[in-house]
Amino acid sequence: MASDTEDGGEVQPTETTTDDSSPSTMAEKEEQLVSSGMEIVKAGNGNAQETGSSLSLNYEEARALLGRLEFQKGNVEAALCVFDGIDLQAAIQRFQPSLSDKMPPKKGQTKSESGIENPATLVLEAIYLKSLSLQKLGKSTEAANQCKSVLDSVESMFQNGPPDIEQKLQETINKSVELLPEAWKQAGSHQDALASYRRGLLSQWNLDDECCTRIQKRFAAFLLYSCVEGSPPSSGSQVEGSFVPKNNVEEAILLLMVVLKKWYQGKTHWDPSVMEHLTYALSLCDQPSLLAKNLEEVLPGIYPRTERWYTLSLCYYAVGQKEAALNFLRKSLNKHENPNDIMALLLATKICSEERHLASEGVEYARRAIKLSESSDVHLKSVGLHFLGNCLGKKSKTVSSDHQRSLLQNETLKSFSESIALDRHNPDLIFDMGVEYAEQRNMNAALRCAKEYIDATGGSVSKGWRLLALVLSAQQRYPEAEVATNAALDETAKLDQGSLLSLKAKLKVAQSSPMEAVEAYRALLALVQAQKNSSGSSKTDAEGQNDSVSEFEIWQGLANLYSSLSIWRDAEICLQKARALKSYSAATMHAEGYMLEARDQNKEALAAYVNAFSIELEHVPSKVAIGALLCKQGSRYLPAARCFLSDALRIEPTNRMAWLHLGKVHKNDGRINDAADCFQAAVMLEESDPVESFRSLA
């Protein structure tokens, strides 16, 4: 042990050796370290009379200083041995009365320059370093408890918050507030971590912007990825009228929005992970429009332009704004930007594959993507071939030449086959190929694909059952189609049965069971009402997602059913219900024209058909009805009738009624051979006509 010299001279620490003369117990070693440390510190500070101050180190202060030195050297275990002897509560009680009588620095010196540290600051820092040491040694629970004691002590010392305190103490507070939730997380005590994050952000710690921002980002990540659902913040900690998040995701979004606002105001540095977390959180909430808004507010130069455009296109596509999404991709894929971005090319192809008028553009994007992925990624090549097949199928429906249509249909099937060869376990490929076979009236191949799809998905996806039922109905196997529909109703959830019940109603009509069809429509109305109640939607015509059916479609189907039965009063009531939901609809105007024509009001019926055609330029039933009605008006109207019917067949080459009426036009015009070909096509199509268009599956 070191001792003071009699003449008050310089203190020399006694060396600690590892031979037999060393203290034999840990307690003795600890006392030796502390005693040595007290003398070293006294020697370093010099003579008390020379400084004009009364300097004396008590037991806790000496341990705090020596422990800090050991920690800075990396001797974590030795530092912990020293820190263990500090009684925090006793020290705080001793320091608290003198906090208001802080020793002022010498004239012309700041606190940091004078070399004097407040005793309370020394001890609090020591306990913080002790918790840090415990954390480094894997004792996370003990570390969290020690860190919590620091914050509890600060709160007891400063009842009204810690304003106007020295910088060293503020740094210790900041570090402790940051450390506490991290220690609880490492200890696996997630609820304590949650409470510590909220305490750190809601208590008056005078945290600087950077420290507060770090805590907010970590807390947001914890809320999103910890898989622990915490209770919402207590209402007592909220300002009246402020937003109170209901769950983890909402609270995380709120925190991330606050961080973004700080960045916009220049209070913190940009961190790309904030947008990554926000993207994930808003995706969970199905709010891509809000994500797009925040992306657009980020200043230029933060994100590469093409990366921002691609993300924005994803956001707009998710909310159904396909044209806006495609415009961003067109900019990104420009030859002066990033024309070889495979993901952007595939997304552009997917968007184009869903719209006929964009099919040709989609074909070009798909071929570029396939070429780029030829030698790098088999999966992406398969996806590109899949989308290429979809685009070619859409494009085949826009050409007027039968030869060109046949070539495109063959290319479509070839693309699907090549894609399946690369990815045999993709059921969506099998489904799309089945739909293409069905539209080309290859029912045996379509039936095989439908069964394969049902096997691949375990019968859990209703569109596979619908394809099977429609193919069976096209083969005039109505009872079997109804069995398939009933099986699908048993396999799917109640709220996902809309399209299946609609199909069942049409199968009943095909089997001359109109009253049973009406019952199916009634069940469908009840289902739609249940869907609205479950979603809390106030919209009366809320189009459901996936395979659901809108209320408008149900009333329209009932109106068509009653019209076919010549029950005009009920048909008119249903039509009024449909009009109330959608004022301007081609289907409604067409149904009205059908009823007028059935009552021999041909002039009014023609006006209704023309109105339907004006609302939707490619509405095939209206074009067919106009052509059929004009055909009855005499030879002078035959060219116009032929024009409407030919245009209908351009859009839908498998429409048997268009072929039938076109045959009548040719017959009345004296073209017997052309009429015979049209009648033959109509008969062949009637033998393979489903109760519902295969296009409804797309």
Side-chain angles (χ1 to χ4, degrees):
M1 302 288 289
S3 59
D4 291 339
T5 60
E6 293 181 0
D7 59 354
E10 199 174 80
V11 179
Q12 297 295 331
T14 302
E15 291 186 3
T16 303
T17 61
T18 58
D19 57 20
D20 296 337
S21 62
S22 300
S24 59
T25 66
M26 182 62 70
E28 291 175 353
K29 291 181 181 179
E30 185 180 331
E31 287 297 326
Q32 184 181 33
L33 283 169
V34 174
S35 298
S36 300
M38 291 176 69
E39 294 171 357
I40 291 170
V41 172
K42 288 179 182 179
N45 283 330
N47 190 289
Q49 292 180 353
E50 292 178 8
T51 62
S53 306
S54 177
L55 290 177
S56 62
L57 292 177
N58 61 31
Y59 194 68
E60 282 79 12
E61 293 172 69
R63 283 180 173 274
L65 286 168
L66 184 58
R68 182 205 293 175
L69 291 173
E70 293 294 335
F71 185 85
Q72 289 171 347
K73 292 177 185 177
N75 302 329
V76 176
E77 293 184 356
L80 191 58
C81 288
V82 178
F83 290 140
D84 278 339
I86 299 176
D87 186 346
L88 176 63
Q89 296 306 318
I92 294 301
Q93 289 175 5
R94 186 165 61 254
F95 297 143
Q96 194 159 2
S98 63
L99 284 172
S100 57
D101 302 324
K102 294 179 185 177
M103 182 183 299
K106 292 176 68 176
K107 187 176 181 181
Q109 284 186 319
T110 64
K111 290 178 184 176
S112 60
E113 290 171 341
S114 67
I116 302 170
E117 291 189 50
N118 187 288
T121 301
L122 272 175
V123 174
L124 289 172
E125 183 197 29
I127 303 302
Y128 163 73
L129 292 176
K130 179 181 179 181
S131 63
L132 206 56
S133 301
L134 288 166
Q135 186 192 35
K136 289 178 180 293
L137 295 173
K139 301 177 181 180
S140 300
T141 302
E142 296 175 46
N145 286 322
Q146 290 295 321
C147 192
K148 182 176 181 295
S149 68
V150 174
L151 298 179
D152 291 342
S153 300
V154 172
E155 283 188 336
S156 67
M157 290 163 57
F158 304 99
Q159 298 294 331
N160 299 320
D164 192 26
I165 61 176
E166 63 183 36
Q167 182 181 356
K168 188 68 175 177
L169 178 55
Q170 184 64 62
E171 289 176 2
T172 300
I173 293 172
N174 291 0
K175 293 174 182 177
S176 299
V177 172
E178 283 193 68
L179 175 63
L180 182 56
E182 303 307 314
W184 282 127
K185 283 195 299 184
Q186 290 180 9
S189 186
H190 292 143
Q191 291 299 330
D192 287 321
L194 191 74
S196 299
Y197 274 125
R198 287 178 178 155
R199 179 187 184 187
L201 294 173
L202 296 175
S203 299
Q204 298 297 319
W205 301 114
N206 280 0
L207 305 178
D208 60 69
D209 285 326
E210 288 296 336
C211 176
C212 185
T213 299
R214 286 194 298 271
I215 296 172
Q216 287 168 332
K217 289 190 291 188
R218 291 171 187 166
F219 188 20
F222 175 75
L223 289 167
L224 288 174
Y225 311 120
S226 67
C227 299
V228 176
E229 189 63 38
S231 57
S234 61
S235 57
S237 63
Q238 303 296 326
V239 179
E240 185 178 354
S242 63
F243 171 75
V244 179
K246 300 181 182 64
N247 52 49
N248 281 15
V249 178
E250 285 190 6
E251 191 170 358
I253 291 172
L254 180 62
L255 288 165
L256 294 169
M257 291 290 192
V258 170
V259 173
L260 280 178
K261 184 178 179 181
K262 286 183 182 179
W263 176 72
Y264 295 144
Q265 295 173 345
K267 295 180 179 178
T268 186
H269 298 292
W270 170 255
D271 181 358
S273 69
V274 174
M275 285 304 300
E276 293 172 7
H277 295 323
L278 187 61
T279 299
Y280 175 69
L282 291 174
S283 299
L284 292 177
C285 296
D286 194 21
Q287 293 292 331
S289 56
L290 285 179
L291 177 59
K293 180 177 180 295
N294 280 280
L295 279 169
E296 289 171 340
E297 288 177 353
V298 176
L299 296 175
I302 300 298
Y303 279 115
R305 287 185 302 180
T306 54
E307 182 180 332
R308 190 203 300 249
W309 289 336
Y310 177 72
T311 309
L312 284 170
S313 66
L314 283 172
C315 293
Y316 282 113
Y317 177 69
V319 295
Q321 298 185 33
K322 298 178 184 178
E323 193 65 33
L326 188 58
N327 283 336
F328 279 114
L329 292 171
R330 286 167 176 156
K331 292 165 66 176
S332 178
L333 295 170
N334 184 280
K335 64 180 180 179
H336 300 297
E337 297 293 345
N338 193 5
N340 295 329
D341 185 345
I342 295 180
M343 300 308 295
L345 285 167
L346 290 175
L347 180 57
T349 306
K350 180 175 175 59
I351 295 172
C352 292
S353 71
E354 297 170 2
E355 302 292 337
R356 281 190 180 188
H357 67 283
L358 298 172
S360 295
E361 184 179 357
V363 169
E364 297 304 316
Y365 290 137
R367 286 176 174 158
R368 284 165 58 184
I370 293 167
K371 184 177 180 181
L372 289 168
S373 61
E374 190 75 42
S375 58
S376 59
D377 196 312
V378 173
H379 172 69
L380 291 182
K381 182 180 179 182
S382 174
V383 173
L385 287 166
H386 184 184
F387 291 159
L388 175 61
N390 288 336
C391 289
L392 290 169
K394 285 286 193 302
K395 186 177 179 180
S396 69
K397 297 175 178 63
T398 63
V399 297
S400 55
S401 166
D402 291 339
H403 175 68
Q404 194 175 4
R405 182 183 303 113
S406 178
L407 290 177
L408 288 170
Q409 288 175 342
N410 289 335
E411 284 188 58
T412 300
L413 293 175
K414 181 182 177 183
S415 295
F416 284 145
S417 298
E418 291 179 2
S419 182
I420 289 175
L422 296 173
D423 187 3
R424 296 184 179 277
H425 302 290
N426 188 345
D428 288 332
L429 271 169
I430 300 170
F431 178 83
D432 287 347
M433 194 169 190
V435 173
E436 184 62 29
Y437 275 129
E439 290 189 333
Q440 295 185 27
R441 293 304 191 263
N442 187 344
M443 294 305 166
N444 291 330
L447 187 63
R448 184 178 64 253
C449 289
K451 290 179 178 179
E452 285 182 18
Y453 179 81
I454 291 171
D455 289 340
T457 58
S460 61
V461 184
S462 62
K463 68 178 183 180
W465 292 103
R466 286 179 61 208
L467 175 59
L468 177 61
L470 287 177
V471 171
L472 291 170
S473 72
Q475 295 177 328
Q476 315 300 311
R477 298 158 65 179
Y478 298 119
E480 293 176 62
E482 189 174 349
V483 169
T485 306
N486 289 332
L489 290 170
D490 292 336
E491 293 291 332
T492 54
K494 186 72 175 176
L495 294 180
D496 296 331
Q497 296 178 351
S499 58
L500 293 169
L501 287 170
S502 176
L503 178 58
K504 185 174 182 177
K506 293 170 183 175
L507 287 169
K508 291 294 185 183
V509 172
Q511 296 177 85
S512 302
S513 302
M515 291 302 102
E516 293 182 35
V518 171
E519 289 302 317
Y521 276 120
R522 286 177 179 171
L524 193 51
L525 279 171
L527 177 64
V528 169
Q529 188 61 46
Q531 287 174 333
K532 289 195 294 184
N533 293 339
S534 67
S535 63
S537 173
S538 59
K539 295 180 180 180
T540 55
D541 185 35
E543 291 272 358
Q545 295 181 350
N546 300 326
D547 292 319
S548 61
V549 178
S550 69
E551 188 177 349
F552 167 80
E553 292 173 322
I554 300 170
W555 290 116
Q556 185 65 53
L558 277 169
N560 294 337
L561 174 58
Y562 286 126
S563 295
S564 66
L565 299 172
S566 300
I567 307 176
W568 306 116
R569 182 174 175 277
D570 289 348
E572 184 59 40
I573 292 172
C574 294
L575 211 54
Q576 288 175 356
K577 295 274 191 181
R579 283 198 204 97
L581 295 169
K582 191 180 290 186
S583 302
Y584 300 99
S585 166
T588 303
M589 297 303 300
H590 176 264
E592 183 180 339
Y594 178 82
M595 288 191 289
L596 291 169
E597 187 178 359
R599 298 172 186 175
D600 292 328
Q601 298 177 10
N602 291 340
K603 187 176 180 180
E604 292 80 0
L606 184 60
Y609 292 142
V610 170
N611 287 336
F613 164 68
S614 301
I615 293 170
E616 187 179 328
L617 293 178
E618 293 195 348
H619 191 248
V620 172
S622 297
K623 291 178 181 288
V624 174
I626 292 172
L629 198 55
L630 290 174
C631 182
K632 299 176 183 177
Q633 305 301 313
S635 59
R636 59 181 295 192
Y637 294 102
L638 291 179
R642 183 167 59 251
C643 180
F644 276 101
L645 293 168
S646 298
D647 198 38
L649 288 171
R650 177 188 62 81
I651 301 168
E652 191 175 327
T654 56
N655 190 299
R656 67 180 181 86
M657 295 305 297
W659 285 109
L660 175 63
H661 291 296
L662 184 60
K664 292 180 180 179
V665 169
H666 286 315
K667 179 182 177 183
N668 293 341
D669 205 23
R671 297 188 178 90
I672 303 302
N673 290 334
D674 290 339
D677 291 339
C678 291
F679 289 142
Q680 184 179 5
V683 170
M684 292 176 63
L685 288 170
E686 186 177 14
E687 293 174 354
S688 61
D689 204 26
V691 295
E692 184 177 293
S693 173
F694 290 112
R695 295 171 63 185
S696 65
L697 295 168

